[in-house]
Amino acid sequence: MPNRQAAALTAAALTAALLTVIPAGAASAACTPDARDLMVTHQPVDHTVADAKYHLARLTIDNNDTRCTLGEGGWAMYFNAVRQPTAVLAGEVGDIGRKHLADQAVSVTRADAAQSGDFYTLKPQSGFKPVGPGERRSIDIYFEVWAVHKSDAPAGWTIAYNGGTPKWVPSKALLDPADPKQTKAFSGDNRPVQTAATRYGENTTPKLDLTLQQSLVPQPLSATATGGSVAIGGGSPVSAPAELKGEADYLRSALRDVARGKAASITLRVNPRLDVDNDGKADAEGYTLTTAEDGVEIVGTDRAGVLHGIQTLRQLIPTDGYRAAAQGHKSSTVAVPRARIADAPLFGYRGLQLDVGRHFESKQTVLKFLDLMSFTKLNKLHLGLTNDEGWRLEIPGLPELTDFGSKRALDLKETGALHQGMGSVNDLGGGDGVSGKARNETEANLGRAPAYQGFEQNTLNFVGKGSGYYSVKDFEEILRYAAERHIDVIPELNFPAHARAAVQSMERRYQRTKDATYRLLDPEDKSQHTSVQYYTDNLVNPCLGSTYEFLNKVASEVAKMYQRAKVPFNRLNLGGDEPPGPPEGWWSGSPACKTNPDTAGKSGEELKQLFFRAWNTIALKHAGTTAGWEDITDPTHDFRLKNFAPLPWQNVWGWGREDWAYRYANEGTPVILAHATNLYMDLAFNKDPDEPGYYWAAYVNEKSTFTYQPFNVYANATEDRWGNKIEPNPSWTKLTPEGRKNILGLEAQLWGENGKSAEIREYQAFPKLLGVAERAWNRNTPAPDKMEEAWKVFSNTLGQKTYPLLSFYEPVGLSGAGVNYRVPPPGAKITDGTLSANVRNPGLTVEYSTEGWRWRQYDGPVKVGAYALTRTRAADGRTSRISHVGVPAWQNGTSYKSGALVLHQGELYRAARGGSGHEPGRSGGHWTLLQ
């Protein structure tokens, strides 16, 4: 029988058990190791083996079972990988990958019956050498292109013995930032890896004294402090006309969250002729805010303007007031500075796209993001409800969309759910075909409580909401909550590609009912195509009447939700991005397309255009306008849609689409800017292996978003994604004065592939979203030659004002306080034994330690010796990842004293006992892993 002892271990004991080396003894061939006594470690080894085509990685299997052997056959391991193992590819590269594995007596193939997506299986072949108790076996494997972040590692590992139930196998990712073969993606990658030293060189912003205007995000048009302060509180009388009842209620609720008592009165009113910039015209969404001895007055051009004034008032409340409230000690009143503030936005469209298709997010998380959007004066939530990996909205009459399409499971035949994807199924819950998962996020994190201040190992170990959906009631609540904050919710129903969840759900419906009314594929279609995410069966067929029946059914049901919520349905996003493969392959093998007189003889591009004309017409029956990705109405073609706004996104320097946004605008097409190089917040913050996220377009941080130039995006074209200097191409289309009028606004993108928890979503969004808010709202966009000076002010604003406020932020109408913004690790260097340190955002506290358990505040250069650790502490006590300087690499055969610090395989360890010569990471009780 398998050893069940590990199942009863505490999280801490589990880690020790996983790391303990057990002397190999007589292995029993009659038993198999408990899955929890195995460990799979992934580490890239060499990116030079085939420059930019594939790289060498190492999978290490540790068998920590005390008596059982992982045998020469009868088992299979399953996993997801964002990088394809080359063994599943066709052609020479695939042949090389397959032979490389065969020489090690293993194979890797696609796992699921559909052979579609990112799901794989590793199996032993004849001649595989068993892994006995306490033994370790390394398998070298080629994966396509590169993997220079830990979040690139394979995820969601399980093992099944003899076709039985798959059980969780703990896994981890290693990546040594000191090894160029692991961190240099290919010969053209010249971007340095982030270290304490590089950060020290970058953190050049001095601490500044901030004006009232500079203390607010986004910065208002004008703000003048008039001296003194005025007290306000939850009992402050609020006077407002009936039309502002919602805004008045919001204000009362916000004030009650922070203070109990009565104080100065607050007046709210609307003046439709309000002209805050004195140009003789009323300013939509504009406001004035006056705080004086006799009270507070907020005047808005409209109701939205009044709410914006309320949000500015909330930012004027001192951090100490929020801190006391968060700690359960509300003061009677809080004092805000007396001031006169006038403000109005640059753009009418100020958006955030939240992808809940790849990984689901709870209603609570969406509501919190909505309140934070309102706080930063954003007003459009583009909610990505559908994608290949999940359908997230209940549609009455089509239960399969949520009964099947909203679920992921380790279900190879996909009989009851989509197969495991992106390393997740039903989070750490059950009912998804995976047995023995960790009981909580700490256990999944191999025994360490996750801080979510960077990559966490638990995101490889099934943390992530692969399953979930919003009921009709949930969605209507989201709509009403958003409307109270003057935010439009723009649902995205993504077709014809990225539609696997819908296509396969409707196929299950057809199989169950034999009713083809809503079928989305032609079963005789022999077309072959593969999407960017490796799906081969995710494309709806434009030649079937049932496709349009489905689209009309879904759009009409969504419209009913808006009607019941009493919220206008202003815009529907059609999706339309990344159709797989070249156009000539789209539906070329579909008999339905060849026999339908409306589609016969049409090319793939013509069929795509036919589809979008019909889809747009259906959408406009239910919504006022439409939007979609740039792929729909490529400006190199004449094809355009009525009342449609494209979102240009693929402006990666050198890809050929850098000027699409301005080409649209100059021709008269309304445009929503969504440029990946600056507005994709899910992209990794920088080239630190512990920063989660992709990096296909660029590295994106809050400086990327803050310095974005909406009307001169080429000013941001200073280097490519690999750190090489570039110059803007003079042939790129320039935005004309008339074209500028067609820029509706801009939208930040928060895709969900790596967003496996609410904390990660917040980490990826903040502070990046604050830079987006500046560029979307602030009319005074600094010129390129003034941007560095403006950035220094903004960096101070974050460190001195905004971060402390977000530490204790309480969303109005929701429970819980605080935002998991990224706390920046310090920069540091040691010269002649003296530590010097600095921080990205002046105002934050830096701490240092020489042994990793006693921390002192850093106030200036200090003697430490050969090495030290530094970290940044936030106002609420949370800390950044440790930034180490001078710590030596572990040396095999060296006996270390208790408390000694070493680096090994990119991880930081402290010796837990004296005389330890054991290898860190394999020696339970000898070393402590530091974060």
Side-chain angles (χ1 to χ4, degrees):
M1 294 293 291
N3 175 14
R4 303 294 180 188
Q5 181 180 2
L9 294 175
T10 65
L14 171 63
T15 306
L18 293 173
L19 299 177
T20 300
V21 176
I22 302 161
S28 169
C31 67
T32 56
D34 188 283
R36 287 185 173 218
D37 285 337
L38 300 174
M39 169 74 86
V40 175
T41 302
H42 169 269
Q43 186 167 17
V45 173
D46 191 352
H47 282 90
T48 69
V49 293
D51 202 31
K53 291 182 179 180
Y54 57 87
H55 68 276
L56 177 65
R58 182 160 295 144
L59 299 175
T60 304
I61 301 174
D62 283 287
N63 178 10
N64 296 297
D65 193 290
T66 60
R67 13 178 235 106
C68 300
T69 293
L70 184 65
E72 60 186 14
W75 56 268
M77 285 187 177
Y78 299 99
F79 64 96
N80 295 110
V82 66
R83 305 291 186 233
Q84 293 182 103
T86 61
V88 305
L89 302 177
E92 181 183 5
V93 168
D95 291 340
I96 293 171
R98 286 183 286 274
K99 182 180 186 304
H100 185 67
L101 290 175
D103 289 345
Q104 301 170 80
V106 294
S107 67
V108 172
T109 59
R110 296 193 184 277
D112 58 307
Q115 300 285 285
S116 178
D118 68 342
F119 195 29
Y120 307 99
T121 183
L122 167 71
K123 295 180 180 179
Q125 301 300 305
S126 176
F128 179 79
K129 184 180 178 182
V131 187
E135 290 185 347
R136 163 179 283 188
R137 179 66 32 77
S138 292
I139 298 169
D140 284 353
I141 179 172
Y142 294 136
F143 285 94
E144 63 179 350
V145 293
W146 42 73
V148 297
H149 284 253
K150 291 180 181 177
S151 52
D152 292 332
W157 286 87
T158 59
I159 191 167
Y161 294 111
N162 301 312
T165 301
K167 299 179 180 180
W168 170 52
V169 173
S171 69
K172 68 183 298 184
L174 292 177
L175 204 161
D176 189 348
D179 182 354
K181 286 190 174 183
Q182 296 184 42
T183 60
K184 189 178 177 72
F186 70 110
S187 58
D189 176 10
N190 292 307
R191 188 175 294 279
V193 177
Q194 283 282 314
T195 65
T198 62
R199 285 190 288 271
Y200 188 84
E202 293 170 358
N203 295 342
T204 58
T205 299
K207 189 172 184 179
L208 303 174
D209 292 329
L210 299 172
T211 66
L212 176 66
Q213 183 181 28
Q214 293 169 341
S215 299
L216 301 169
V217 175
Q219 197 174 116
L221 274 175
S222 66
T224 303
T226 56
S229 62
V230 59
I232 58 176
S236 291
V238 178
S239 174
E243 66 175 312
L244 294 176
K245 180 181 184 302
E247 290 71 27
D249 288 345
Y250 183 93
L251 174 59
R252 293 186 185 100
S253 179
L255 292 178
R256 285 195 298 268
D257 286 342
V258 73
R260 304 184 310 272
K262 294 183 178 180
S265 62
I266 302 174
T267 301
L268 309 179
R269 63 185 180 90
V270 169
N271 175 6
R273 295 184 296 278
L274 185 65
D275 176 13
V276 300
D277 59 3
N278 300 312
D279 67 351
K281 301 176 184 177
D283 295 298
E285 299 187 72
Y287 70 91
T288 59
L289 167 62
T290 305
T291 56
E293 182 179 5
D294 57 351
V296 177
E297 181 184 56
I298 298 173
V299 181
T301 313
D302 42 34
R303 290 178 56 211
V306 171
L307 186 65
H308 298 323
I310 290 171
Q311 300 295 17
T312 298
L313 179 64
R314 291 179 72 198
Q315 285 200 43
L316 294 179
I317 295 172
T319 298
D320 286 347
Y322 287 108
R323 185 198 312 268
Q327 294 173 348
H329 307 294
K330 289 182 188 176
S331 56
S332 176
T333 61
V334 289
V336 298
R338 297 181 192 174
R340 293 191 301 270
I341 298 173
D343 205 4
L346 171 63
F347 290 123
Y349 190 111
R350 307 179 299 280
L352 166 66
Q353 185 267 154
L354 183 62
D355 166 23
V356 296
R358 269 60 179 274
H359 281 98
F360 183 66
E361 273 306 335
S362 69
K363 178 180 66 177
Q364 174 84 8
T365 296
V366 175
L367 298 181
K368 183 177 181 181
F369 264 99
L370 283 165
D371 200 66
L372 285 162
M373 287 175 64
S374 177
F375 189 65
T376 54
K377 301 181 175 66
L378 302 177
N379 66 349
K380 310 290 181 185
L381 176 65
H382 170 183
L383 194 57
L385 292 167
T386 72
N387 223 293
D388 293 319
E389 296 85 4
W391 181 282
R392 306 305 187 186
L393 181 61
E394 177 187 11
I395 300 297
L398 297 177
E400 292 83 3
L401 286 171
T402 45
D403 290 349
F404 176 86
S406 76
K407 299 177 182 177
R408 292 213 286 265
L410 207 166
D411 181 351
L412 302 184
K413 296 182 179 179
E414 297 183 294
T415 55
L418 296 166
H419 62 67
Q420 176 180 314
M422 297 184 170
S424 66
V425 279
N426 186 31
D427 205 17
L428 297 181
D432 56 16
V434 177
S435 173
K437 283 185 290 188
R439 292 160 291 189
N440 53 53
E441 292 188 2
T442 295
E443 192 173 3
N445 208 39
L446 309 180
R448 297 170 60 245
Y452 294 116
Q453 281 295 311
F455 174 81
E456 298 286 8
Q457 301 288 355
N458 65 11
T459 58
L460 306 182
N461 291 302
F462 289 108
V463 165
K465 299 179 183 66
S467 300
Y469 69 92
Y470 307 115
S471 68
V472 169
K473 182 180 178 182
D474 288 336
F475 189 65
E476 291 173 4
E477 182 180 341
I478 289 170
L479 293 178
R480 287 190 292 268
Y481 189 90
E484 291 169 358
R485 289 150 181 77
H486 298 283
I487 296 173
D488 285 342
V489 177
I490 302 168
E492 179 181 341
L493 306 174
N494 198 351
F495 297 98
H498 280 304
R500 189 173 193 269
V503 170
Q504 299 306 320
S505 294
M506 290 303 94
E507 200 58 16
R508 300 319 183 270
R509 179 184 186 275
Y510 173 76
Q511 292 166 359
R512 179 177 64 84
T513 66
K514 302 307 177 185
D515 176 6
T517 302
Y518 299 117
R519 202 174 190 186
L520 298 174
L521 60 77
D522 173 2
E524 302 304 319
D525 189 354
K526 304 301 182 185
S527 309
Q528 294 186 350
H529 47 72
T530 303
S531 76
V532 176
Q533 289 79 21
Y534 322 129
Y535 291 106
T536 58
D537 52 1
N538 71 337
L539 201 57
V540 306
N541 193 299
C543 307
L544 304 173
S546 53
T547 290
Y548 305 105
E549 290 289 338
F550 173 84
L551 294 173
N552 188 61
K553 168 67 174 174
V554 170
S556 65
E557 293 295 341
V558 172
K560 291 174 186 176
M561 298 178 205
Y562 279 81
Q563 292 164 5
R564 285 191 295 268
K566 296 182 171 56
V567 172
F569 192 1
N570 292 322
R571 195 181 294 270
L572 173 62
N573 189 296
L574 310 178
D577 62 318
E578 296 185 324
E584 55 267 22
W586 301 335
W587 312 291
S588 58
S590 168
C593 291
K594 295 174 181 177
T595 58
N596 183 337
D598 294 328
T599 60
K602 292 187 182 296
S603 67
E605 182 64 35
E606 289 170 329
L607 290 174
K608 185 193 87 167
Q609 293 178 11
L610 178 149
F611 171 83
F612 280 115
R613 284 194 191 95
W615 181 202
N616 195 58
T617 299
I618 290 168
L620 290 175
K621 287 167 48 182
H622 306 288
T625 59
T626 57
W629 302 105
E630 67 181 17
D631 315 56
I632 295 175
T633 57
D634 175 347
T636 64
H637 294 82
D638 294 333
F639 175 62
R640 297 294 180 269
L641 295 172
K642 179 182 177 183
N643 294 335
F644 172 85
L647 283 82
W649 60 284
Q650 292 188 80
N651 72 311
V652 181
W653 315 122
W655 281 17
R657 296 188 178 188
E658 299 89 344
D659 64 355
W660 278 23
Y662 295 165
R663 292 174 68 172
Y664 281 125
N666 289 350
E667 73 178 23
T669 298
V671 172
I672 301 163
L673 302 175
H675 285 136
T677 55
N678 292 75
L679 301 176
Y680 269 46
M681 301 188 304
D682 62 293
L683 295 179
F685 195 89
N686 56 33
K687 193 179 177 181
D688 180 332
D690 280 303
E691 287 292 346
Y694 295 158
Y695 42 95
W696 59 267
Y699 288 96
V700 174
N701 56 39
E702 84 277 18
K703 190 172 185 179
S704 308
T705 57
F706 179 84
T707 59
Y708 179 64
Q709 296 275 339
F711 303 124
N712 182 17
V713 67
Y714 312 137
N716 300 114
T718 57
E719 62 180 26
D720 66 15
R721 59 189 175 138
W722 303 113
N724 301 296
K725 299 297 182 183
I726 60 171
E727 294 289 339
N729 188 327
S731 69
W732 289 340
T733 301
K734 308 296 190 297
L735 184 66
T736 65
E738 283 302 306
R740 178 171 173 147
K741 298 175 184 177
N742 294 314
I743 305 293
L744 298 181
L746 55 88
E747 182 178 284
Q749 309 299 318
L750 190 56
W751 295 99
E753 292 94 330
N754 289 290
K756 294 184 176 183
S757 74
E759 294 88 349
I760 295 173
R761 299 278 190 150
E762 292 180 10
Y763 177 90
Q764 291 181 322
F766 291 92
K768 299 178 191 179
L769 191 60
L770 302 171
V772 175
E774 279 289 335
R775 295 287 69 84
W777 178 275
N778 191 340
R779 293 188 178 187
N780 297 319
T781 303
D785 63 340
K786 301 293 185 183
M787 190 59 86
E788 188 63 29
E789 180 182 351
W791 157 251
K792 291 178 180 178
V793 172
F794 182 67
S795 187
N796 271 270
T797 303
L798 296 182
Q800 295 184 46
K801 301 291 184 179
T802 315
Y803 287 159
L805 192 158
L806 290 177
S807 288
F808 307 107
Y809 180 87
E810 184 171 346
V812 175
L814 302 177
S815 60
V819 175
N820 187 49
Y821 57 87
R822 179 183 184 270
V823 182
K829 67 175 184 177
I830 292 177
T831 305
D832 297 329
T834 297
L835 170 71
S836 299
N838 56 19
V839 69
R840 182 177 180 86
N841 303 107
L844 293 174
T845 299
V846 175
E847 298 179 332
Y848 73 97
S849 174
T850 55
E851 75 295 298
W853 61 277
R854 289 178 298 185
W855 292 87
R856 304 169 181 84
Q857 182 168 315
Y858 175 84
D859 296 314
V862 58
K863 283 286 185 181
V864 293
Y867 58 75
L869 310 178
T870 62
R871 68 185 187 186
T872 306
R873 180 174 292 277
D876 56 4
R878 292 182 303 118
T879 59
S880 70
R881 300 192 304 277
I882 290 174
S883 180
H884 54 80
V885 54
V887 177
W890 174 76
Q891 297 294 324
N892 191 13
T894 300
S895 179
Y896 290 90
K897 295 180 180 180
S898 177
L901 300 177
V902 298
L903 293 171
H904 185 55
Q905 302 284 38
E907 295 190 305
L908 176 65
Y909 290 91
R910 181 179 65 238
R913 60 180 67 171
S916 174
H918 296 271
E919 181 183 0
R922 272 182 64 78
S923 309
H926 291 275
W927 295 94
T928 299
L929 179 64
L930 303 180
Q931 181 159 313

